[in-house]
Amino acid sequence: MTGRPNAESSTEAFYDDLAASYNDIIYRCAPRYEEMQDTLLEYIPADLQPEYILDLGCGTGNLTLKVMEAFPHAQVVALDLSAEILDVAQRQCGDDRVSYLQQDFNQLDLPDSRIDLVVSSIAIHHIDDPAKQRLFRDVFASLRPGGVFTFVDQFRGETPAIYDQHMKVWKRFADSKGVPPEEWEMWMEHQEQHDYHATVGEQMEWLAEAGFTQVDCLWKHVLWTLLTARKES
Ligand SMILES: C[S@@+](CC[C@H](N)C(=O)[O-])C[C@H]1O[C@@H](n2cnc3c(N)ncnc32)[C@H](O)[C@@H]1O
């Protein structure tokens, strides 16, 4: 891996350093990476026809590209904390239909009741649990009535034993993809310092508390889980 990030740096600096190599490593580090994003798109309600979409924690723009393809008339806002990774996203997704916003989930400044669809992939676990609950309320406020929030992310197991097993299964996957030990250790150090996994049950409850209905779990593999929620019309 080139430009190996320091796991002890802030999340912003970590992803700044990782930006150039992110697309090379994500496929060997996240099992079923494309499948989880493709499934997210498959379950967007047919009646939604989104024109204004927000991708939270867009990274290099891999999910952004997929939503652009799925909704060729939509405008997309790609939001991330890291300026360097937003630059890569901009090179990957262009400027015609995407605007780029450097913002922290902890201090979101979004328009009220305007967005049709908010998506996110493997990003929300970077903020702690009270911040997740605040984020869910902010997303709810930003959606127009009938709007949808759907995200895939890493979640904690319901028990310590299940969570422990998740980590073992993930390590076996990384070994099978030839992830070098130092790269695995870098992820694990980063996880210890910057990742906050909550359970599926907790996050579904927080979505309902934020005001969402139709809260459901649509897909799950080891840590990675896809949730959906809707703001009533
Ligand atoms: C694992 S990457 C996922 C990127 C992309 N969504 C994907 O699926 O490939 C996590 C992303 O979340 C961003 N991120 C982490 N914490 C954030 C925060 N507090 N506010 C905004 N973005 C954040 C990181 O900069 C990084 O680009």
Side-chain angles (χ1 to χ4, degrees):
M1 188 177 65
T2 53
R4 185 175 176 223
N6 176 358
E8 289 182 22
S9 55
S10 69
T11 301
E12 182 178 356
F14 179 86
Y15 279 102
D16 277 346
D17 290 348
L18 195 62
S21 52
Y22 180 83
N23 275 358
D24 289 337
I25 68 171
I26 190 65
Y27 292 92
R28 63 172 182 261
C29 285
R32 303 197 191 172
Y33 177 67
E34 289 225 73
E35 180 186 316
M36 61 181 103
Q37 296 189 347
D38 291 342
T39 309
L40 180 154
L41 286 166
E42 272 172 356
Y43 277 86
I44 291 173
D47 66 336
L48 187 67
Q49 294 301 312
E51 290 174 5
Y52 185 19
I53 301 173
L54 170 66
D55 183 359
L56 286 175
C58 62
T60 54
N62 296 335
L63 178 61
T64 318
L65 268 184
K66 285 180 186 282
V67 293
M68 287 167 75
E69 269 170 39
F71 303 106
H73 302 295
Q75 289 293 318
V76 185
V77 175
L79 182 151
D80 204 282
L81 181 64
S82 155
E84 299 283 334
I85 216 158
L86 279 172
D87 281 350
V88 180
Q90 191 166 14
R91 286 200 291 280
Q92 201 168 231
C93 305
D95 287 310
D96 285 351
R97 293 173 46 212
V98 186
S99 48
Y100 301 88
L101 200 56
Q102 188 182 8
Q103 263 190 36
D104 187 332
F105 295 156
N106 291 296
Q107 291 162 320
L108 283 181
D109 182 15
L110 301 174
D112 266 355
S113 302
R114 275 210 49 211
I115 303 173
D116 301 306
L117 172 66
V118 177
V119 298
S120 183
S121 164
I122 331 183
I124 294 171
H125 68 279
H126 286 106
I127 52 174
D128 66 21
D129 293 352
K132 284 189 197 77
Q133 292 168 67
R134 210 165 43 239
L135 174 82
F136 293 172
R137 290 194 293 271
D138 288 346
V139 169
F140 184 83
S142 76
L143 283 167
R144 57 120 166 125
V148 169
F149 177 33
T150 180
F151 67 98
V152 66
D153 202 4
Q154 297 176 341
F155 288 66
R156 181 175 292 281
E158 209 47 64
T159 66
I162 293 171
Y163 192 40
D164 195 44
Q165 186 63 16
H166 283 340
M167 301 313 296
K168 288 185 182 141
V169 174
W170 186 13
K171 174 79 167 74
R172 276 206 294 276
F173 171 84
D175 288 345
S176 77
K177 294 285 173 190
V179 172
E182 63 275 14
E183 191 174 305
W184 176 255
E185 276 157 32
M186 180 273 292
W187 280 117
M188 290 303 103
E189 278 171 39
H190 167 75
Q191 178 166 298
E192 253 174 49
Q193 308 210 358
H194 299 296
D195 289 0
Y196 306 89
H197 295 151
T199 68
V200 176
E202 285 167 333
Q203 299 205 48
M204 289 178 76
E205 212 174 293
W206 298 336
L207 287 165
E209 281 167 11
F212 286 102
T213 57
Q214 304 178 32
V215 178
D216 204 350
C217 172
L218 299 175
W219 180 97
K220 187 159 186 7
H221 176 66
V222 198
L223 293 171
W224 291 268
T225 305
L226 169 60
L227 296 186
T228 185
R230 195 155 196 180
K231 182 171 180 171
E232 284 293 321
S233 300

